Amino acid sequence: MTNNIDLSVQIAPGLKLINPVMTASGTFGYGNEYCDLVDIQKLGAIICKGTTLEPRDGNAQPRIIEVTAGILNSVGLQNIGVEALVKEQAPVWAGWRVPVIVNIAGDTVEDYAKVASKLEGVKGISGIEVNISCPNVKCGGMQFGTDPAMAAEVTKAVKGATSLPVIVKLSPNVTDITVIAVAVEKAGADAISLINTLGGMAIDIDRREPMIGNIMGGLSGPAIRPVALYMVYRVAGCVSIPVIGCGGIDSGRHALEFIMAGARAVQVGTATFTDPQSALNIIEDISRFMAEQGISKLSGLCGAARK
Amino acid sequence: MKQAKGRVLYNKELLRFETAAYFLMHVQSPGLASDCKPGQFFMLQCSGNMVLRRPISIHAIKGPDIISLLIAVPLDGQLAYKKGARQLSELREGNDLDLIGPMGNGFNISSTSKNILIAAGGIGIAPLKFLAETALSSGKGVTLLIGARTKLGLYPSSLLPKGTHMVFATDDGSYGKRGPVSDLIPEYLAGADQVFACGPEAMYETMQGHMKTWPVEKPVQVSLEVRMGCGVGACYSCSIRTRHGIKRVCKDGPIFDINDIICQEVRI
């Protein structure tokens, strides 16, 4: 990496990252699972598995299948619950240089606030990402992300329960994502991340049944990248808080597309399954691009392609 | 567990029947085989624009730097989820292959076992050759029951370790005994201290039924296959409900005690 390149980004008040590349929730566990394979301290941030008030078992098998240029998944928010997270994971994170952001979900507005309050003052946690966009559970997800009033209510409740920076992760499964974005910004969100997966399905015509146990799943990977990019472009044009881009990013070139569309930072998810080094390679790629273009600060590229 | 760039030394079709072909692949990378246990697997990166790696069990160890893999390739592999195996089958001698492993818990051969019984259904032979070789090299007696739908799907006995007592079965009776391999188990149970099996879930369901009538209880370990995302226990795509709570097949398995698994939960 070139020394005079400044990749640092401020994604929320009190949350500055050494580079703009984070691992997306649900694809990187609690971070430690990848320690043998990835130099995790070089990441911009780690966003952990979606966490609920109580532990959850998740959905029936099959939970994942490869489709053209992507995957469908329906894990269903399997997680250890916030208490185990605070007791077992946070102390490990407290010794890490890389900031860990906890992704939270709930069945009710109160659940979100309760999970957030349990994270308050816990060492090792640098921020909260509010998941109002999980397509794979009946409750505790997308119903909050598809209604601007509900999205605002959850955001307000979480902001009221924590002093940590709050990122709200938006669903693409809406008529107009900018309406939701503006609503959560007004409700006090410190940043917005987008997009979560797109609802989708696949059918096994020989067995005459859906290929995912939960019938539908969330589509991710390169297939959704142009959709995600356009949504990021639109949202970045109508909010003033930082926007974090996510959706099929698997190379520095694609990360830069999101940054030039107006994203302050990016998340890498599905690409980690293809190659656990993806996020680190993307950091290198961005740095190299900046060196080649003679740009020393990443902020110089943020929104560069906006018209 | 590590991520390595391997070199394909050999990759050829071993056998072919109605629905699939089995490819035998040898991959080399420094120290690749050093920490491998029977029952563990590698996540293989597929070529082209495939997103998911494919979990492939270790078939045999050919030296400190070389592992052997047996890969089932669906013949109707047009859909994305079937294409990965096909692309792996198209790798040629000298090609590079990115792989991560060894992963998973592996079989546990008890040091006190004198004789073990192994049952392989179809491609289930994949992890069991390494198991048989490991058991034999530590002086244990090995009986290997091998089943397939027809003789076309039977793994060649010439490639199995010498000193193994081999018994064959086919569903249609075209070779060996007629019927599923699980039906052979009771007959060979008496001398075995441990039983190991790998095959379709239906085979484990049959075994669970049979076990109720076994004269003596024997510990049975089986290898499970479900679709995986990460292979390291991070994504929970392979989680299943078991008698002892929710388990990740990639990290807590793929080897489970047969009494712990609920067959209906294991779907691919």
Side-chain angles (χ1 to χ4, degrees), chain A residues 11-15 101 125-129 159 162-167 190-191:
Chain A
I11 58 162
L15 189 49
I101 295 165
I125 299 172
S126 300
I128 291 176
E129 183 179 64
K159 276 298 286 180
T162 185
S163 59
L164 288 166
V166 173
I167 304 161
D190 297 303

Coordinates of all heavy atoms in Angstrom, one line a residue, chain A residues 11-15 101 125-129 159 162-167 190-191:
Chain A
I11 N -17.5 7.6 9.3 CA -18.8 7.2 8.8 C -19.9 7.6 9.8 O -21.1 7.4 9.5 CB -18.9 5.6 8.6 CG1 -18.5 4.8 9.8 CG2 -18.0 5.3 7.4 CD1 -19.0 3.4 9.8
A12 N -19.6 8.1 10.9 CA -20.6 8.6 11.9 C -19.8 9.4 12.9 O -18.6 9.2 13.0 CB -21.3 7.5 12.5
P13 N -20.4 10.3 13.6 CA -19.7 11.0 14.7 C -19.1 10.0 15.6 O -19.7 9.1 16.1 CB -20.8 11.8 15.4 CG -22.0 11.9 14.4 CD -21.9 10.7 13.6
G14 N -17.8 10.2 15.9 CA -17.1 9.2 16.8 C -16.8 7.9 16.2 O -16.4 7.0 16.9
L15 N -16.9 7.7 14.9 CA -16.6 6.5 14.3 C -15.8 6.7 13.0 O -16.4 6.9 11.9 CB -17.9 5.7 14.0 CG -17.7 4.2 13.5 CD1 -16.7 3.4 14.4 CD2 -19.0 3.5 13.5
I101 N -19.0 -3.3 14.7 CA -20.3 -2.7 14.7 C -21.3 -3.9 14.9 O -21.2 -4.9 14.1 CB -20.5 -1.9 13.4 CG1 -19.6 -0.7 13.3 CG2 -22.0 -1.5 13.3 CD1 -19.4 -0.1 12.0
I125 N -17.4 -2.6 21.4 CA -18.5 -2.3 20.5 C -18.4 -0.8 20.0 O -18.4 0.1 20.9 CB -19.9 -2.6 21.0 CG1 -19.9 -4.1 21.4 CG2 -20.9 -2.2 20.0 CD1 -21.2 -4.5 22.1
S126 N -18.2 -0.6 18.7 CA -18.0 0.8 18.2 C -19.2 1.4 17.6 O -19.2 2.6 17.3 CB -16.9 0.7 17.2 OG -15.7 0.3 17.8
G127 N -20.3 0.6 17.4 CA -21.4 1.2 16.7 C -22.5 0.1 16.6 O -22.3 -1.0 16.9
I128 N -23.7 0.6 16.2 CA -24.8 -0.3 15.9 C -25.3 -0.1 14.5 O -25.4 1.1 14.0 CB -26.0 0.1 16.9 CG1 -25.6 -0.3 18.4 CG2 -27.3 -0.6 16.6 CD1 -26.6 0.1 19.4
E129 N -25.6 -1.2 13.9 CA -26.3 -1.2 12.6 C -27.7 -1.8 12.8 O -27.8 -2.9 13.2 CB -25.5 -2.0 11.5 CG -26.2 -1.8 10.1 CD -25.5 -2.6 9.0 OE1 -25.4 -3.9 9.1 OE2 -25.0 -2.0 8.1
K159 N -31.9 5.2 18.8 CA -31.1 6.4 19.1 C -31.3 6.8 20.6 O -30.4 7.2 21.3 CB -31.5 7.6 18.2 CG -30.8 7.6 16.9 CD -29.3 7.8 17.0 CE -28.8 9.2 17.3 NZ -27.4 9.3 17.4
T162 N -29.2 4.4 23.1 CA -27.8 4.3 23.0 C -27.0 5.6 22.7 O -27.6 6.5 22.2 CB -27.4 3.3 21.8 OG1 -26.0 3.0 21.8 CG2 -27.8 3.8 20.4
S163 N -25.8 5.6 23.1 CA -24.9 6.7 22.8 C -24.0 6.4 21.6 O -23.2 7.2 21.2 CB -24.2 7.2 24.0 OG -23.3 6.2 24.5
L164 N -24.1 5.1 21.2 CA -23.2 4.6 20.1 C -23.7 5.2 18.8 O -24.9 5.5 18.6 CB -23.2 3.1 20.0 CG -22.5 2.3 21.1 CD1 -22.9 0.9 21.1 CD2 -21.0 2.4 21.0
P165 N -22.8 5.3 17.8 CA -23.2 5.7 16.4 C -24.2 4.7 15.9 O -24.0 3.5 16.1 CB -21.9 5.7 15.6 CG -20.8 5.7 16.6 CD -21.3 5.1 17.9
V166 N -25.3 5.2 15.2 CA -26.3 4.3 14.7 C -26.4 4.4 13.2 O -26.7 5.5 12.7 CB -27.7 4.7 15.4 CG1 -28.8 3.9 14.7 CG2 -27.7 4.4 16.9
I167 N -26.2 3.3 12.6 CA -26.3 3.1 11.1 C -27.6 2.4 10.9 O -27.9 1.4 11.5 CB -25.2 2.3 10.5 CG1 -23.8 2.9 10.9 CG2 -25.3 2.1 9.0 CD1 -22.6 2.0 10.8
D190 N -27.4 8.2 12.2 CA -26.1 8.8 12.0 C -25.5 8.5 10.6 O -24.7 9.2 10.1 CB -25.1 8.4 13.0 CG -25.5 8.8 14.4 OD1 -25.7 10.0 14.7 OD2 -25.6 7.9 15.3
A191 N -26.0 7.4 10.1 CA -25.6 6.9 8.7 C -26.6 5.9 8.2 O -27.4 5.4 9.0 CB -24.2 6.3 8.8

